[in-house]
Amino acid sequence: MRKYLLGTGLFGAITSGYSLLKGSDDRRFTWRVALAWLSWGITLALAIGEARDIRTASRGGTVADDSPISGKEYKYSGAAKPRDAGRRTRK
């Protein structure tokens, strides 16, 4: 659990949310503030998704093709690197 909570993406999202919360104490709610909160929500969702993908990969599962760790699941499962992991296939 510690490796997920202390991952740089999730830790960065939480700390930026805290600073956004502290900075918006005395401000009116404008469209800029709404965009800042929306941006923070997207960042948090992406960080949670990556932590979920890492957990899936560490348990030996495969992740979706659009994941940043797709094709690198072996790094998180502790298995040996497959022979064709670094090769790109041409279509």
Side-chain angles (χ1 to χ4, degrees), residues 13-42:
I14 291 170
T15 55
S16 67
Y18 180 74
S19 64
L20 184 62
L21 183 65
K22 285 295 187 182
S24 65
D25 281 345
D26 56 346
R27 293 187 182 201
R28 286 186 358 202
F29 192 79
T30 63
W31 65 272
R32 288 182 181 99
V33 174
L35 285 177
W37 280 107
L38 180 66
S39 173
W40 175 77
I42 292 170

Side-chain angles (χ1 to χ4, degrees), residues 33-80:
V33 174
L35 285 177
W37 280 107
L38 180 66
S39 173
W40 175 77
I42 292 170
T43 302
L44 183 65
L46 288 171
I48 290 171
E50 184 180 6
R52 212 174 119 211
D53 286 346
I54 290 172
R55 183 172 186 227
T56 301
S58 68
R59 293 181 175 208
T62 57
V63 297
D65 289 337
D66 63 345
S67 174
I69 65 167
S70 177
K72 302 174 201 153
E73 290 95 344
Y74 65 90
K75 289 183 178 180
Y76 302 98
S77 66

